[in-house]
Amino acid sequence: MSRYLKLVGRALRLVCPVCGRGPLFKGLFRMHETCSHCGLKFEREPGFFLGSIYINYGITAITSLVTYFILFFANVLTDTQNMAVLVAIVILLPILLHRHARSLWLGFDQWQDPRPGEE
Ligand SMILES: [Zn+2]
């Protein structure tokens, strides 16, 4: 298995990118500071997770754009109903994606700038 797929798999399972064992989150939105298995400090520097906003924003923008065109061409809802669906997507999707966006960002960082001890 390529290293890239291994890191994506760890990100999707919300576990440490270095060892693949320690969970990243201790609640819905709260992260552990370090990996319980290998001791990796997840937040590399202050503001590190700002990068995850790009992932979250990109997925939300693409999803809402595709949904807009589907709703527009399906033409089964009124304009107000279409707007309600789109507003719900742009509010709820970033909340639902929060954990995976952070995890994918952490995996991307490990892929591009590896920290030692990767198993
Ligand atoms: Zn770890």
Side-chain angles (χ1 to χ4, degrees), residues 11-95:
L12 293 177
R13 288 185 291 123
L14 302 174
V15 294
C16 173
V18 171
C19 69
R21 297 186 185 159
L24 298 179
F25 289 88
K26 55 184 166 186
L28 275 179
F29 298 106
R30 292 185 54 206
M31 288 188 79
H32 292 287
E33 287 186 21
T34 59
C35 175
S36 60
H37 186 261
C38 71
L40 177 78
K41 186 179 177 200
F42 294 135
E43 188 170 10
R44 205 167 196 173
E45 60 197 8
F48 173 75
F49 285 110
L50 282 175
S52 71
I53 293 172
Y54 295 114
I55 294 172
N56 211 338
Y57 172 77
I59 294 172
T60 301
I62 290 169
T63 302
S64 59
L65 184 70
V66 169
T67 303
Y68 168 79
F69 281 109
I70 289 171
L71 292 173
F72 180 80
F73 288 111
N75 202 21
V76 291
L77 301 175
T78 66
D79 287 347
T80 305
Q81 290 169 327
N82 286 346
M83 182 62 78
V85 170
L86 292 169
V87 167
I89 288 173
V90 299
I91 291 173
L92 295 177
L93 194 58
I95 296 169

Coordinates of all heavy atoms in Angstrom, one line a residue, residues 11-95:
A11 N -6.3 9.3 8.2 CA -7.1 10.5 8.3 C -8.6 10.2 8.4 O -9.3 10.8 9.2 CB -6.7 11.5 7.2
L12 N -9.0 9.3 7.5 CA -10.5 9.0 7.5 C -10.9 8.3 8.7 O -12.1 8.3 9.1 CB -10.8 8.2 6.2 CG -10.7 9.0 4.9 CD1 -11.0 8.1 3.7 CD2 -11.5 10.2 4.9
R13 N -10.0 7.5 9.3 CA -10.3 6.8 10.6 C -10.1 7.7 11.8 O -10.3 7.2 12.9 CB -9.5 5.5 10.7 CG -9.9 4.4 9.7 CD -9.2 3.1 9.9 NE -7.8 3.3 9.5 CZ -6.7 3.0 10.3 NH1 -6.9 2.6 11.5 NH2 -5.5 3.2 9.8
L14 N -9.6 8.9 11.6 CA -9.4 9.9 12.7 C -8.4 9.4 13.7 O -8.6 9.5 14.9 CB -10.8 10.2 13.4 CG -11.9 10.8 12.5 CD1 -13.2 11.0 13.3 CD2 -11.5 12.1 11.9
V15 N -7.3 8.8 13.2 CA -6.3 8.4 14.1 C -4.9 9.1 13.7 O -4.8 9.7 12.7 CB -6.1 6.8 14.1 CG1 -7.3 6.1 14.6 CG2 -5.7 6.4 12.7
C16 N -4.0 9.0 14.6 CA -2.7 9.6 14.5 C -2.0 9.3 13.1 O -2.0 8.1 12.8 CB -1.8 9.2 15.6 SG -0.1 9.7 15.5
P17 N -1.5 10.3 12.4 CA -0.9 10.0 11.1 C 0.4 9.3 11.2 O 0.8 8.6 10.2 CB -0.8 11.4 10.4 CG -0.7 12.3 11.6 CD -1.5 11.7 12.6
V18 N 1.1 9.4 12.3 CA 2.4 8.8 12.4 C 2.3 7.3 12.8 O 3.0 6.5 12.2 CB 3.3 9.6 13.5 CG1 4.6 8.9 13.8 CG2 3.6 11.0 12.9
C19 N 1.5 7.0 13.8 CA 1.5 5.6 14.3 C 0.2 4.9 13.8 O 0.2 3.6 13.8 CB 1.6 5.5 15.8 SG 0.2 6.1 16.7
G20 N -0.9 5.6 13.5 CA -2.1 5.0 13.1 C -2.9 4.3 14.2 O -3.8 3.6 13.9
R21 N -2.6 4.6 15.4 CA -3.2 4.0 16.5 C -4.0 4.9 17.5 O -5.1 4.6 17.9 CB -2.2 3.1 17.3 CG -1.6 2.0 16.5 CD -0.8 1.1 17.3 NE -0.1 0.2 16.4 CZ 0.9 -0.5 16.6 NH1 1.5 -0.4 17.8 NH2 1.4 -1.3 15.7
G22 N -3.3 6.0 17.8 CA -3.9 6.9 18.8 C -5.1 7.8 18.2 O -4.9 8.3 17.1
P23 N -6.2 7.8 18.9 CA -7.3 8.6 18.4 C -7.0 10.1 18.4 O -6.3 10.6 19.3 CB -8.5 8.3 19.3 CG -7.8 7.8 20.6 CD -6.5 7.2 20.2
L24 N -7.5 10.9 17.5 CA -7.3 12.3 17.4 C -8.2 13.1 18.3 O -7.9 14.1 18.9 CB -7.5 12.9 16.0 CG -6.5 12.4 14.9 CD1 -6.9 13.0 13.6 CD2 -5.1 12.6 15.3
F25 N -9.5 12.6 18.5 CA -10.5 13.3 19.2 C -10.9 12.6 20.4 O -11.0 11.4 20.5 CB -11.7 13.5 18.2 CG -11.4 14.5 17.1 CD1 -10.9 14.1 15.9 CD2 -11.7 15.9 17.3 CE1 -10.6 15.0 14.9 CE2 -11.4 16.8 16.3 CZ -10.9 16.3 15.1
K26 N -11.2 13.4 21.4 CA -11.8 12.9 22.7 C -13.2 13.3 22.9 O -13.9 12.9 23.9 CB -11.0 13.4 23.9 CG -10.8 14.9 24.0 CD -9.9 15.2 25.2 CE -9.4 16.6 25.2 NZ -8.4 16.9 26.2
G27 N -13.8 14.0 21.9 CA -15.2 14.4 21.9 C -15.6 14.7 20.5 O -14.8 14.4 19.6
L28 N -16.8 15.3 20.4 CA -17.2 15.7 19.0 C -16.3 16.7 18.4 O -16.0 16.6 17.2 CB -18.6 16.2 19.0 CG -19.7 15.2 19.0 CD1 -21.1 15.8 19.0 CD2 -19.6 14.3 17.7
F29 N -15.8 17.7 19.1 CA -15.0 18.7 18.6 C -13.6 18.9 19.3 O -12.8 19.6 18.8 CB -15.7 20.0 18.6 CG -17.0 20.0 17.8 CD1 -18.2 19.9 18.4 CD2 -16.9 20.0 16.4 CE1 -19.4 19.9 17.6 CE2 -18.0 19.9 15.6 CZ -19.3 19.9 16.2
R30 N -13.4 18.2 20.4 CA -12.2 18.4 21.2 C -11.2 17.4 20.8 O -11.5 16.2 20.8 CB -12.5 18.4 22.7 CG -13.4 19.6 23.2 CD -13.6 19.6 24.6 NE -12.3 19.5 25.3 CZ -12.1 19.0 26.6 NH1 -13.2 18.6 27.2 NH2 -11.0 19.0 27.1
M31 N -10.0 17.9 20.6 CA -8.9 17.0 20.2 C -8.0 16.7 21.4 O -7.8 17.5 22.3 CB -8.0 17.7 19.1 CG -8.6 17.8 17.8 SD -7.4 18.3 16.5 CE -6.5 16.8 16.2
H32 N -7.3 15.5 21.3 CA -6.2 15.3 22.2 C -5.1 16.2 21.8 O -4.9 16.4 20.7 CB -5.8 13.8 22.2 CG -6.8 12.8 22.6 ND1 -7.1 12.7 24.0 CD2 -7.6 12.0 22.0 CE1 -8.0 11.7 24.1 NE2 -8.4 11.3 22.9
E33 N -4.3 16.6 22.8 CA -3.1 17.4 22.5 C -2.0 16.6 21.9 O -1.3 17.0 21.0 CB -2.6 18.1 23.7 CG -3.5 19.3 24.1 CD -2.9 20.1 25.3 OE1 -1.7 20.0 25.5 OE2 -3.7 20.8 25.9
T34 N -1.8 15.3 22.4 CA -0.8 14.4 21.9 C -1.4 13.1 21.6 O -2.5 12.7 22.2 CB 0.3 14.3 22.9 OG1 -0.2 13.8 24.1 CG2 1.0 15.6 23.2
C35 N -0.7 12.3 20.8 CA -1.1 10.9 20.5 C -0.9 10.0 21.8 O 0.1 10.1 22.4 CB -0.3 10.4 19.4 SG -0.7 8.6 19.0
S36 N -1.9 9.3 22.1 CA -1.8 8.4 23.3 C -0.9 7.2 23.1 O -0.4 6.6 24.1 CB -3.2 7.9 23.7 OG -3.8 7.1 22.6
H37 N -0.6 6.9 21.9 CA 0.3 5.8 21.6 C 1.8 6.2 21.4 O 2.7 5.6 21.9 CB -0.2 5.0 20.4 CG 0.5 3.8 20.1 ND1 1.5 3.7 19.1 CD2 0.5 2.5 20.7 CE1 2.0 2.4 19.1 NE2 1.4 1.7 20.0
C38 N 2.0 7.2 20.5 CA 3.4 7.6 20.1 C 3.8 8.9 20.7 O 5.0 9.3 20.6 CB 3.6 7.5 18.6 SG 2.8 8.9 17.7
G39 N 2.9 9.7 21.3 CA 3.2 11.0 21.9 C 3.3 12.1 20.9 O 3.8 13.2 21.3
L40 N 3.0 11.9 19.7 CA 3.0 13.0 18.7 C 2.2 14.2 19.1 O 1.0 14.0 19.5 CB 2.5 12.5 17.3 CG 2.5 13.6 16.2 CD1 3.9 13.8 15.7 CD2 1.6 13.2 15.1
K41 N 2.8 15.4 19.1 CA 2.0 16.6 19.4 C 1.2 17.0 18.1 O 1.8 17.3 17.1 CB 2.9 17.7 19.8 CG 2.1 19.0 20.3 CD 3.1 20.1 20.7 CE 2.3 21.3 21.1 NZ 3.1 22.5 21.1
F42 N -0.1 16.9 18.1 CA -0.9 17.1 16.9 C -0.9 18.5 16.4 O -0.7 18.7 15.2 CB -2.4 16.7 17.2 CG -2.6 15.2 17.5 CD1 -3.4 14.8 18.5 CD2 -1.9 14.3 16.7 CE1 -3.6 13.5 18.8 CE2 -2.1 12.9 16.9 CZ -2.9 12.5 18.0
E43 N -1.0 19.5 17.3 CA -0.9 20.9 16.8 C 0.5 21.3 16.7 O 1.1 21.7 17.7 CB -1.7 21.8 17.7 CG -1.9 23.2 17.2 CD -2.9 24.1 18.0 OE1 -3.3 23.7 19.1 OE2 -3.2 25.2 17.5
R44 N 1.0 21.3 15.5 CA 2.5 21.5 15.3 C 3.0 22.9 15.8 O 4.1 23.0 16.3 CB 2.8 21.3 13.9 CG 4.2 20.9 13.6 CD 4.3 20.4 12.1 NE 5.5 19.6 12.0 CZ 5.8 19.0 10.9 NH1 5.0 19.0 9.9 NH2 7.0 18.3 10.9
E45 N 2.1 23.9 15.6 CA 2.4 25.2 16.0 C 1.1 26.0 16.1 O 0.1 25.5 15.7 CB 3.3 25.9 14.9 CG 2.6 26.0 13.5 CD 3.5 26.2 12.4 OE1 4.7 26.2 12.6 OE2 3.0 26.5 11.3
P46 N 1.1 27.1 16.8 CA -0.2 27.8 17.0 C -0.8 28.2 15.6 O -0.1 28.6 14.7 CB 0.2 29.1 17.7 CG 1.5 28.8 18.4 CD 2.2 27.8 17.6
G47 N -2.1 27.9 15.5 CA -2.7 28.2 14.2 C -2.6 27.1 13.2 O -3.0 27.3 12.0
F48 N -2.0 26.0 13.5 CA -1.7 24.9 12.6 C -3.0 24.5 11.9 O -2.9 24.2 10.7 CB -1.1 23.7 13.3 CG -0.9 22.5 12.5 CD1 0.1 22.4 11.6 CD2 -1.7 21.4 12.7 CE1 0.2 21.3 10.8 CE2 -1.6 20.3 12.0 CZ -0.6 20.2 11.0
F49 N -4.1 24.4 12.6 CA -5.3 23.8 12.0 C -6.1 24.8 11.2 O -7.1 24.4 10.7 CB -6.1 23.2 13.1 CG -5.6 21.8 13.6 CD1 -5.0 21.7 14.9 CD2 -5.6 20.8 12.8 CE1 -4.5 20.5 15.3 CE2 -5.0 19.6 13.2 CZ -4.5 19.4 14.4
L50 N -5.6 26.0 11.0 CA -6.2 26.9 10.1 C -6.3 26.3 8.7 O -7.2 26.6 7.9 CB -5.5 28.3 10.1 CG -5.8 29.2 11.3 CD1 -4.9 30.5 11.2 CD2 -7.3 29.6 11.3
G51 N -5.3 25.5 8.4 CA -5.2 24.9 7.0 C -6.4 24.0 6.8 O -6.8 23.8 5.6
S52 N -6.9 23.4 7.9 CA -8.1 22.5 7.7 C -9.3 23.3 7.2 O -10.2 22.7 6.6 CB -8.4 21.8 9.0 OG -9.0 22.7 9.9
I53 N -9.3 24.6 7.4 CA -10.5 25.4 6.9 C -10.5 25.3 5.4 O -11.6 25.3 4.8 CB -10.4 26.8 7.4 CG1 -10.6 26.8 8.9 CG2 -11.4 27.7 6.8 CD1 -10.3 28.2 9.6
Y54 N -9.4 25.3 4.7 CA -9.3 25.2 3.3 C -10.0 23.9 2.8 O -10.8 23.9 1.8 CB -7.9 25.3 2.7 CG -7.2 26.6 3.0 CD1 -6.1 26.6 3.8 CD2 -7.7 27.7 2.4 CE1 -5.5 27.8 4.1 CE2 -7.0 28.9 2.6 CZ -6.0 29.0 3.5 OH -5.3 30.2 3.7
I55 N -9.7 22.8 3.5 CA -10.3 21.5 3.1 C -11.8 21.6 3.3 O -12.6 21.3 2.4 CB -9.7 20.4 3.9 CG1 -8.2 20.2 3.5 CG2 -10.5 19.1 3.7 CD1 -7.5 19.2 4.4
N56 N -12.2 22.1 4.5 CA -13.7 22.2 4.8 C -14.4 23.1 3.9 O -15.5 22.8 3.3 CB -13.8 22.7 6.3 CG -15.0 22.2 7.0 OD1 -16.0 21.8 6.3 ND2 -15.0 22.2 8.3
Y57 N -13.8 24.3 3.6 CA -14.4 25.2 2.7 C -14.6 24.6 1.3 O -15.6 24.8 0.6 CB -13.6 26.5 2.6 CG -14.1 27.5 1.5 CD1 -15.3 28.2 1.7 CD2 -13.4 27.6 0.3 CE1 -15.7 29.0 0.7 CE2 -13.9 28.4 -0.7 CZ -15.0 29.1 -0.5 OH -15.5 30.0 -1.4
G58 N -13.5 24.0 0.8 CA -13.5 23.4 -0.6 C -14.6 22.4 -0.7 O -15.3 22.4 -1.7
I59 N -14.7 21.5 0.2 CA -15.7 20.4 0.1 C -17.1 21.0 0.2 O -18.0 20.7 -0.6 CB -15.5 19.4 1.2 CG1 -14.2 18.6 1.0 CG2 -16.7 18.4 1.2 CD1 -13.8 17.7 2.1
T60 N -17.3 22.0 1.1 CA -18.6 22.7 1.2 C -19.0 23.4 -0.1 O -20.1 23.4 -0.5 CB -18.6 23.6 2.4 OG1 -18.3 22.8 3.6 CG2 -19.9 24.3 2.6
A61 N -18.0 24.2 -0.6 CA -18.3 24.9 -1.8 C -18.6 24.0 -3.0 O -19.6 24.3 -3.7 CB -17.1 25.8 -2.2
I62 N -17.9 23.0 -3.2 CA -18.2 22.0 -4.3 C -19.5 21.4 -4.1 O -20.3 21.3 -5.0 CB -17.0 21.0 -4.4 CG1 -15.8 21.7 -5.0 CG2 -17.5 19.9 -5.4 CD1 -14.5 20.8 -4.9
T63 N -19.8 20.9 -2.9 CA -21.1 20.3 -2.6 C -22.3 21.2 -2.8 O -23.3 20.8 -3.4 CB -21.1 19.8 -1.1 OG1 -20.0 18.9 -1.0 CG2 -22.4 19.0 -0.8
S64 N -22.2 22.4 -2.4 CA -23.3 23.4 -2.5 C -23.4 23.8 -4.0 O -24.6 23.9 -4.5 CB -23.1 24.6 -1.6 OG -21.9 25.3 -1.9
L65 N -22.3 23.9 -4.7 CA -22.4 24.2 -6.1 C -23.1 23.1 -6.9 O -24.0 23.3 -7.7 CB -21.0 24.5 -6.7 CG -21.0 25.0 -8.2 CD1 -21.5 26.4 -8.3 CD2 -19.5 24.9 -8.7
V66 N -22.7 21.9 -6.7 CA -23.3 20.7 -7.4 C -24.7 20.6 -7.0 O -25.6 20.4 -7.9 CB -22.5 19.4 -7.0 CG1 -23.2 18.2 -7.5 CG2 -21.1 19.5 -7.7
T67 N -25.0 20.8 -5.7 CA -26.4 20.7 -5.3 C -27.3 21.8 -5.9 O -28.4 21.6 -6.4 CB -26.5 20.8 -3.8 OG1 -25.7 19.8 -3.2 CG2 -28.0 20.7 -3.3
Y68 N -26.7 23.0 -6.1 CA -27.4 24.1 -6.7 C -27.8 23.7 -8.1 O -29.0 23.9 -8.5 CB -26.6 25.4 -6.8 CG -27.2 26.4 -7.7 CD1 -28.2 27.2 -7.2 CD2 -26.7 26.6 -9.0 CE1 -28.8 28.1 -8.1 CE2 -27.3 27.5 -9.8 CZ -28.3 28.3 -9.3 OH -28.9 29.2 -10.2
F69 N -26.9 23.1 -8.9 CA -27.2 22.8 -10.3 C -28.2 21.6 -10.4 O -29.1 21.6 -11.2 CB -25.9 22.5 -11.1 CG -25.2 23.7 -11.5 CD1 -24.0 24.1 -10.9 CD2 -25.8 24.6 -12.5 CE1 -23.4 25.3 -11.3 CE2 -25.1 25.8 -12.9 CZ -23.9 26.1 -12.3
I70 N -28.1 20.7 -9.5 CA -29.0 19.6 -9.4 C -30.4 20.1 -9.1 O -31.4 19.8 -9.8 CB -28.6 18.5 -8.4 CG1 -27.4 17.8 -8.8 CG2 -29.8 17.5 -8.1 CD1 -26.8 16.9 -7.8
L71 N -30.6 21.0 -8.1 CA -31.9 21.5 -7.8 C -32.4 22.4 -8.9 O -33.6 22.4 -9.2 CB -31.8 22.3 -6.5 CG -31.5 21.5 -5.2 CD1 -31.2 22.5 -4.0 CD2 -32.7 20.6 -4.9
F72 N -31.5 23.2 -9.5 CA -31.9 24.1 -10.6 C -32.5 23.3 -11.8 O -33.6 23.6 -12.3 CB -30.7 25.0 -11.1 CG -31.0 25.9 -12.2 CD1 -31.7 27.1 -11.9 CD2 -30.7 25.6 -13.5 CE1 -32.0 28.0 -12.9 CE2 -31.0 26.5 -14.5 CZ -31.6 27.7 -14.2
F73 N -31.8 22.3 -12.2 CA -32.2 21.5 -13.4 C -33.3 20.5 -13.1 O -34.1 20.2 -14.0 CB -31.0 20.8 -14.1 CG -30.1 21.8 -14.8 CD1 -28.9 22.1 -14.3 CD2 -30.6 22.5 -15.9 CE1 -28.1 23.0 -15.0 CE2 -29.8 23.4 -16.6 CZ -28.5 23.7 -16.1
A74 N -33.4 20.0 -11.9 CA -34.5 19.1 -11.5 C -35.8 19.9 -11.5 O -36.8 19.4 -11.8 CB -34.2 18.5 -10.1
N75 N -35.7 21.1 -11.0 CA -36.9 22.0 -11.1 C -38.1 21.5 -10.4 O -39.2 21.5 -10.9 CB -37.2 22.4 -12.5 CG -38.0 23.7 -12.6 OD1 -38.0 24.5 -11.7 ND2 -38.7 23.9 -13.7
V76 N -37.9 20.8 -9.2 CA -39.1 20.3 -8.5 C -39.4 21.1 -7.2 O -40.5 21.0 -6.7 CB -38.8 18.8 -8.0 CG1 -38.8 17.9 -9.2 CG2 -37.5 18.7 -7.2
L77 N -38.5 22.0 -6.8 CA -38.8 22.8 -5.6 C -38.9 24.3 -6.0 O -38.4 24.6 -7.1 CB -37.6 22.7 -4.6 CG -37.3 21.3 -4.1 CD1 -36.1 21.3 -3.2 CD2 -38.5 20.7 -3.3
T78 N -39.5 25.0 -5.2 CA -39.6 26.5 -5.5 C -38.2 27.1 -5.2 O -37.3 26.5 -4.6 CB -40.6 27.2 -4.5 OG1 -40.1 27.1 -3.2 CG2 -42.0 26.5 -4.7
D79 N -38.0 28.3 -5.6 CA -36.7 29.0 -5.4 C -36.4 29.1 -3.9 O -35.3 29.0 -3.5 CB -36.7 30.4 -6.0 CG -36.6 30.3 -7.5 OD1 -36.3 29.2 -8.1 OD2 -36.9 31.3 -8.2
T80 N -37.5 29.4 -3.1 CA -37.3 29.5 -1.7 C -36.9 28.2 -1.1 O -36.0 28.2 -0.2 CB -38.6 30.0 -1.0 OG1 -39.0 31.2 -1.7 CG2 -38.4 30.2 0.5
Q81 N -37.5 27.1 -1.5 CA -37.1 25.8 -1.0 C -35.7 25.4 -1.4 O -34.9 24.9 -0.6 CB -38.1 24.7 -1.5 CG -39.5 24.8 -0.9 CD -40.5 24.0 -1.6 OE1 -40.4 23.8 -2.8 NE2 -41.5 23.5 -0.8
N82 N -35.3 25.8 -2.7 CA -33.9 25.5 -3.1 C -33.0 26.3 -2.2 O -31.9 25.7 -1.8 CB -33.7 26.0 -4.5 CG -34.4 25.1 -5.6 OD1 -34.7 23.9 -5.2 ND2 -34.5 25.6 -6.8
M83 N -33.3 27.5 -1.9 CA -32.4 28.3 -1.0 C -32.3 27.7 0.4 O -31.2 27.7 0.9 CB -33.0 29.8 -1.0 CG -32.1 30.7 -0.2 SD -30.4 30.9 -0.8 CE -30.8 32.0 -2.2
A84 N -33.4 27.2 0.9 CA -33.4 26.6 2.2 C -32.5 25.4 2.2 O -31.7 25.2 3.2 CB -34.8 26.2 2.6
V85 N -32.5 24.6 1.2 CA -31.7 23.4 1.1 C -30.2 23.8 1.1 O -29.4 23.3 1.8 CB -32.0 22.5 -0.1 CG1 -31.0 21.5 -0.4 CG2 -33.4 21.9 0.0
L86 N -29.9 24.8 0.3 CA -28.5 25.3 0.1 C -28.0 25.9 1.4 O -26.9 25.7 1.8 CB -28.4 26.2 -1.1 CG -28.6 25.6 -2.4 CD1 -28.8 26.6 -3.5 CD2 -27.5 24.6 -2.7
V87 N -28.8 26.7 2.0 CA -28.4 27.3 3.3 C -28.2 26.2 4.4 O -27.2 26.3 5.1 CB -29.5 28.4 3.8 CG1 -29.2 28.8 5.2 CG2 -29.5 29.6 2.9
A88 N -29.0 25.2 4.4 CA -28.8 24.1 5.3 C -27.5 23.4 5.1 O -26.7 23.1 6.0 CB -30.0 23.1 5.2
I89 N -27.1 23.2 3.8 CA -25.9 22.6 3.4 C -24.7 23.4 3.9 O -23.8 22.9 4.5 CB -25.8 22.3 1.9 CG1 -26.8 21.2 1.6 CG2 -24.4 22.0 1.5 CD1 -26.9 20.9 0.1
V90 N -24.7 24.7 3.6 CA -23.5 25.6 3.9 C -23.4 25.8 5.4 O -22.3 26.2 5.9 CB -23.5 26.9 3.1 CG1 -23.4 26.6 1.6 CG2 -24.7 27.8 3.5
I91 N -24.5 25.6 6.2 CA -24.4 25.7 7.6 C -24.0 24.4 8.3 O -23.1 24.3 9.1 CB -25.7 26.2 8.3 CG1 -25.9 27.7 7.9 CG2 -25.7 26.1 9.8 CD1 -27.2 28.3 8.2
L92 N -24.6 23.3 7.9 CA -24.4 22.0 8.5 C -23.2 21.2 8.1 O -22.5 20.6 8.9 CB -25.7 21.1 8.4 CG -26.9 21.6 9.0 CD1 -28.1 20.7 8.7 CD2 -26.8 21.8 10.5
L93 N -22.9 21.3 6.8 CA -21.8 20.5 6.3 C -20.4 20.8 6.9 O -19.7 19.9 7.3 CB -21.7 20.6 4.7 CG -20.8 19.6 4.0 CD1 -21.3 18.2 4.4 CD2 -20.8 19.8 2.5
P94 N -20.1 22.1 7.1 CA -18.8 22.4 7.7 C -18.7 21.9 9.1 O -17.6 21.5 9.6 CB -18.7 23.9 7.7 CG -19.6 24.4 6.6 CD -20.7 23.3 6.6
I95 N -19.9 21.9 9.8 CA -19.9 21.3 11.2 C -19.6 19.8 11.1 O -18.8 19.3 11.9 CB -21.2 21.6 11.9 CG1 -21.4 23.1 12.0 CG2 -21.3 20.9 13.2 CD1 -22.7 23.6 12.5

